[in-house]
Amino acid sequence: MRIVRLFWAGVQIESEGITLVIDLLEHTAALSSFLGDPHLPLAFAPELLDAALVTHLHPDHYDPDSLRQKLRPHAKVICDPANAAKIVHDGLTGVGATLYEPLSVGPFTVTALPAVDGLGDSQISFLVEAEDIKLMHFGDTLWHGYWWKIRARCGAPNVAFLPVNGAVTQFPGMTPSGIPADLTPDQAAAAAAILGTKIACPMHYGAFHNPPVYVEVPAPVQTFLAASDRLGVVARIVEPGSEVAIV
């Protein structure tokens, strides 16, 4: 299995000549009004993709223009069942994934995992398996109590991608809470420890910081690395466009 971290929360996975992506984001213009312009360069997926996984429909995780451009005809877009109709309306082949029920996608086995969205929208996480490798991707979930059950039902992953920027939002029309809308660095490290992942890769940080609408915690990567070290978690920084070395 070849695993490449893409921009923001994007991940590209290849096995047996088949390529799927998770939370692909290549068009950011629509985000500028509330997230601002990205502070990091984009990393692009191949021109032909065989499948896509979408954790939820926030526009920094769901980029229908890129998926329409790059997915092969009738390629599946695996998602939360509550989001399938919207994805189909966008001209894509949306397929709802029931929690803990594996789906076959080419050489991959894809399983939806629990997640809790920071704005109350429908969100899932994913387990992707191939070649005896388990990869977990956690979108931009909040802290929740499902980590122990995920470990018990699915086993420990070889690699887990976790959001770490603990973003506090103040979107128009919403009373601000002051509470992070995704995992903080310390929470992400704790989740990685519970999951027993061999490698923990931080994602969802560094590209967007637009006070007061979207405020990233200070030094998310350094805090995550320090927390991981305290908990005995092997953390690995993978820059967008770079490959993850699996152990």
Side-chain angles (χ1 to χ4, degrees):
M1 183 191 288
R2 181 172 182 259
I3 302 166
V4 177
R5 184 181 168 221
L6 300 175
F7 177 72
W8 197 230
V11 173
Q12 168 191 328
I13 312 170
E14 301 174 20
S15 180
E16 298 181 21
I18 301 299
T19 302
L20 65 78
V21 291
I22 308 174
D23 285 1
L24 179 67
L25 175 61
E26 296 184 350
H27 294 84
T28 63
L31 304 174
S32 61
S33 61
F34 56 98
L35 294 187
D37 294 326
H39 304 303
L40 297 174
L42 299 179
F44 294 95
E47 293 302 316
L48 284 176
L49 300 172
D50 299 287
L53 313 183
V54 173
T55 60
H56 61 300
L57 298 184
H58 295 173
D60 58 328
H61 291 257
Y62 173 53
D63 179 357
D65 290 335
S66 291
L67 294 178
R68 281 191 293 263
Q69 291 169 8
K70 293 194 168 183
L71 281 172
R72 296 181 187 276
H74 310 298
K76 294 178 181 178
V77 179
I78 310 297
C79 61
D80 187 304
N83 295 330
K86 166 62 175 169
I87 289 172
V88 170
H89 181 267
D90 289 340
L92 300 162
T93 305
V95 176
T98 302
L99 293 180
Y100 295 116
E101 292 189 8
L103 297 172
S104 294
V105 182
F108 302 103
T109 300
V110 174
T111 305
L113 304 175
V116 178
D117 188 81
L119 301 179
D121 296 320
S122 298
Q123 179 169 170
I124 54 176
S125 297
F126 286 107
L127 164 64
V128 180
E129 300 175 86
E131 304 175 31
D132 296 321
I133 300 295
K134 293 182 179 181
L135 177 151
M136 292 182 182
H137 183 287
F138 291 99
D140 67 359
T141 186
L142 289 170
W143 177 264
H144 53 64
Y146 297 107
W147 311 110
W148 293 270
K149 288 182 171 61
I150 291 171
R151 168 67 186 269
R153 296 188 68 156
C154 302
N158 297 83
V159 57
F161 286 89
L162 297 133
V164 300
N165 76 338
V168 174
T169 63
Q170 191 171 319
F171 295 132
M174 301 181 72
T175 301
S177 69
I179 304 298
D182 67 326
L183 292 176
T184 66
D186 291 290
Q187 290 172 338
I194 294 167
L195 293 166
T197 186
K198 293 182 179 179
I199 300 170
C201 293
M203 63 175 187
H204 200 273
Y205 67 87
F208 299 107
H209 179 69
N210 187 33
V213 178
Y214 189 90
V215 181
E216 179 174 270
V217 298
V221 173
Q222 293 87 337
T223 305
F224 175 74
L225 291 175
S228 296
D229 187 61
R230 289 194 302 271
L231 295 171
V233 172
V234 176
R236 185 170 298 168
I237 307 305
V238 181
E239 298 297 334
S242 297
E243 188 169 346
V244 181
I246 297 297
V247 295

